Amino acid sequence: MLGGQPVRPQGPPSWPLPDDDVLAGLQQAFQSGQWGQYHGEFVERLEQRLAQYHHVSHVMLCASGTIAVEMALRGLRVGAGDEVLLAAYDYPGNFLTVHALGARPVLVDVAPENWNLDAGRLERAFTSQVRALIVSHLHGGLVDMTAVMDWAGSRGVVVVEDAAQCPGATIQGRRAGTWGDVGILSFGGSKLLSAGRGGAILTQRTDVYQRIRAWMNRGNWIAPLSPLQAAVLLPQLERLDERNAQREKNAQRLRQLVSDIPGLKPFRNRTEGTPGYYKMGWQFDAAEFGMARATMTAALRAEGIAFDEGFKALHQGRSPSRFRAAGPLTEAEKAHHGAVILHHPILLGDDDDLAQVAEAVRKVQTHAAVIRERCEMP
Ligand SMILES: *Cc1c(COP(=O)(O)O)cnc(C)c1O
């Protein structure tokens, strides 16, 4: 940023990885002709593999994680006049999907240690209008699903579990995406399982599955996943556990390497489990680190490390008529200003890659005064 040599001149690792077994999948799709067909056995095979892997009875592949959330809510008959709870710090598409159904988002504050949904705040958010809850595990955070499901059961609230950022994660001994009435995954081009686009709906509930199928089938399927996409996802699913373990090991190592740097604390989980790292989340303190968050992420990107600012909190920049806030959103406000995320591909790197991340963060922090002086508006 000041004109010197970046720590990582080659920049962040690219994604998706050039897997040989993905190439083999593409070749099979080509040789069988499925690459150009509406239907093909790769789709059924992937649905079966995902069902086995998650121990659920029904899986439906679809065009994106976002449409999967919409279908989950439709399948649960959420619609006009209903209230839907979600964390005030969440994927913005989830908020917009609630509106797309004519329902009203109710924003719940997040937990101080990982800025994911705080199950302890659900009861205060409840009214007789509340029909559903969307719960996402974000940036390596895990939500206490035992507490969520106990509460939801006590109030008759249906649960959509958004595992788009953590396929293969486990929470309290169970796979992410299998706790709620419906779970969803995303296969978008930057996600841990990538097919450029795509998503999946997971459920044990036959009634919900049938309703979603009926909605999606207008003689032709309206938002399908193609056999070609399924062909590249199948081999990635086989390697998911191994890669998640590698990412977790490297995330732990990275936490140690930067633990003495002021102003940057990793998300911590009180809930037992093994997270998924689409992004690795950090709590950034501008005063302690010595510069604004936007300056810090720009400086790290200039060093070749893929740090970014997190989501905007959902109540920020929106008219209060578009949602109901369930109490003060103090922690979501902190997340809005202080969430920093590291993109996942570097977490499959080696010790040298991790050392470079730590070196870059240290370098930027050490030069905070001069970076602030030259690069920040007065
Ligand atoms: C990416 C993402 C989605 C949506 O997935 P798409 O396939 O991009 O539509 C939903 N929820 C979360 C938490 C995500 O990160």
Side-chain angles (χ1 to χ4, degrees), residues 53-349:
Y53 181 84
H54 289 93
H55 303 286
V56 295
S57 40
H58 305 292
V59 173
M60 185 168 175
L61 297 171
C62 60
S64 72
T66 304
I67 195 77
V69 172
E70 178 172 336
M71 288 302 132
L73 292 169
R74 284 194 191 284
L76 292 163
R77 297 192 209 264
V78 173
D82 292 332
E83 287 191 334
V84 178
L85 303 179
L86 74 167
Y89 180 88
D90 195 4
Y91 176 65
N94 289 346
F95 180 95
L96 298 172
T97 295
V98 173
H99 272 287
L101 295 169
R104 181 177 178 78
V106 178
L107 304 182
V108 180
D109 206 10
V110 289
E113 72 279 4
N114 66 6
W115 291 338
N116 277 229
L117 181 81
D118 187 347
R121 294 177 195 266
L122 292 170
E123 179 59 20
R124 262 169 287 175
F126 185 76
T127 66
S128 58
Q129 241 86 281
V130 171
R131 281 277 337 275
L133 161 66
I134 301 174
V135 44
S136 311
H137 309 284
L138 296 177
H139 313 341
L142 296 175
V143 177
D144 181 349
M145 289 308 292
T146 307
V148 165
M149 296 312 295
D150 284 353
W151 177 80
S154 77
R155 288 299 195 177
V157 168
V158 292
V159 176
V160 175
E161 190 186 5
D162 178 346
Q165 297 208 349
C166 59
T170 60
I171 300 138
Q172 295 157 325
R174 223 166 129 163
R175 290 269 184 222
T178 67
W179 285 87
D181 294 79
V182 185
I184 73 99
L185 304 175
S186 164
F187 307 128
S190 61
K191 296 283 158 95
L192 298 178
L193 299 172
S194 303
R197 298 281 173 174
I201 297 158
L202 319 172
T203 186
Q204 298 284 22
R205 288 187 52 177
T206 303
D207 60 327
V208 173
Y209 176 69
Q210 298 292 9
R211 232 174 274 128
I212 295 172
R213 282 180 69 88
W215 186 276
M216 292 283 235
N217 187 355
R218 312 248 166 103
N220 196 0
W221 294 85
I222 60 171
L225 188 102
S226 74
L228 181 58
Q229 288 170 292
V232 299
L233 287 165
L234 276 161
Q236 294 177 66
L237 181 58
E238 298 312 314
R239 303 192 58 179
L240 181 62
D241 286 349
E242 167 203 328
R243 288 188 172 152
N244 277 345
Q246 174 79 14
R247 284 187 276 260
E248 171 66 346
K249 184 171 134 267
N250 279 339
Q252 280 173 21
R253 175 104 189 94
L254 186 56
R255 284 185 199 106
Q256 285 169 0
L257 289 174
V258 301
S259 59
D260 62 319
I261 301 177
L264 192 66
K265 277 196 310 197
F267 280 23
R268 282 160 300 127
N269 287 316
R270 273 183 300 172
T271 303
E272 182 273 318
T274 51
Y277 292 97
Y278 168 56
K279 304 281 180 183
M280 183 176 179
W282 305 79
Q283 301 185 324
F284 180 75
D285 185 316
E288 281 182 29
F289 194 88
M291 66 183 68
R293 181 178 60 161
T295 313
M296 180 268 195
T297 54
L300 277 155
R301 286 198 303 272
E303 296 294 344
I305 310 294
F307 270 98
D308 280 291
E309 299 179 57
F311 296 137
K312 292 188 165 77
L314 295 173
H315 62 293
Q316 288 285 341
R318 289 197 164 93
S319 157
S321 66
R322 303 254 292 153
F323 59 87
R324 175 165 75 81
L329 302 175
T330 318
E331 289 298 326
E333 192 71 30
K334 289 186 197 165
H336 176 79
H337 294 288
V340 164
I341 52 183
L342 174 64
H343 196 36
H344 65 87
I346 198 86
L347 295 177
L348 288 181

